[in-house]
Amino acid sequence: MNDSENETIEDAFKKAIIDTYSIIKGNTEILKIKKYAQGYLVLVLRQGESGGIAIYYVEEKEGRNFIANGVAGGDAAMSMGFGVNRLVLGNDTIFFCNLNDSTWIPENDTRKETNYARIVFDFDDGNTIEEKVENDKGYILIYNGVVNVKDMKLYNADNELVNVYKDVGATKEVDYRLLNSQ
């Protein structure tokens, strides 16, 4: 997809999400889109009073008409610049969150630029997966199987370790809501 096609698909996804879930258009930013099953997972950051991070499942009805069929809300990244939300759908585990452009350095109470380029996930089943996130505003990792994060390392473009899983301390378990009215 070229940039103009990608922009059009983002607009179509955003419209489907806003129309279906009655959220305010100006407060919604799409951070990441990933193909999943017969549709797409769309990571959205909502600003304002009803703010937060959410992942929507969007399917194409017909010819670029989309419908948002489900949503899972999670915790947005805070001071450490990343977070971990875990959603189990059937036999798949989906990890997602936004990525901030800086992280807090507690030793001297300052902020440092992150420039995240990749994330390495270590799971409790012994498997490891690397996800490239250079210039991304968030991540969606789909794992075929039900697992928990054992460790997670975030590296910048210079391959320097920026953050680790223990920096956020825990994974937020989220529930998926299917849209019943469609």
Side-chain angles (χ1 to χ4, degrees):
M1 249 186 275
N2 65 36
D3 288 340
S4 62
E5 285 176 337
N6 193 34
E7 196 171 306
T8 303
I9 197 108
E10 278 191 20
D11 291 342
F13 287 165
K14 190 183 278 190
K15 181 182 180 334
I17 291 165
I18 289 168
D19 290 351
T20 306
Y21 288 95
S22 301
I23 56 179
I24 301 167
K25 183 178 184 175
N27 295 343
T28 305
E29 179 184 6
I30 292 178
L31 304 179
K32 185 86 175 176
I33 299 168
K34 194 169 252 191
K35 183 85 174 118
Y36 180 72
Q38 283 70 49
Y40 299 87
L41 293 173
V42 181
L43 183 63
V44 173
L45 181 64
R46 297 179 320 258
Q47 303 290 340
E49 197 173 304
S50 64
I53 195 89
I55 193 163
Y56 294 85
Y57 180 68
V58 178
E59 289 182 305
E60 189 168 1
K61 287 181 2 181
E62 55 188 56
R64 291 275 176 151
N65 288 316
F66 296 91
I67 184 161
N69 282 327
V71 61
D75 288 342
M78 301 287 277
S79 58
M80 297 317 296
F82 75 103
V84 183
N85 296 290
R86 178 179 176 263
L87 168 66
V88 176
L89 286 176
N91 193 43
D92 294 329
T93 308
I94 299 165
F95 297 94
F96 64 95
C97 199
N98 62 311
L99 297 170
N100 292 343
D101 57 7
S102 67
T103 186
W104 176 53
I105 309 300
E107 294 80 23
N108 57 12
D109 195 27
T110 60
R111 299 217 47 94
K112 177 184 174 185
E113 203 171 284
T114 54
N115 292 322
Y116 294 129
R118 67 185 176 100
I119 304 173
V120 178
F121 294 85
D122 293 321
F123 299 108
D124 60 359
D125 68 354
N127 285 317
T128 298
I129 294 179
E130 181 176 317
E131 182 84 358
K132 294 192 183 309
V133 294
E134 191 166 15
N135 299 318
D136 288 350
K137 296 178 182 180
Y139 70 89
I140 301 170
L141 178 86
I142 303 164
Y143 188 91
N144 187 271
V146 178
V147 293
N148 291 299
V149 172
K150 181 178 173 187
D151 198 8
M152 181 175 167
K153 297 173 188 82
L154 294 95
Y155 295 89
N156 65 19
D158 295 325
N159 205 32
E160 299 169 329
L161 182 63
V162 178
N163 289 106
V164 294
Y165 182 65
K166 68 179 171 80
D167 291 339
V168 294
T171 300
K172 163 95 180 201
E173 297 292 326
V174 298
D175 293 322
Y176 180 76
R177 292 185 315 253
L178 188 62
L179 183 63
N180 296 322
S181 63
Q182 301 295 322

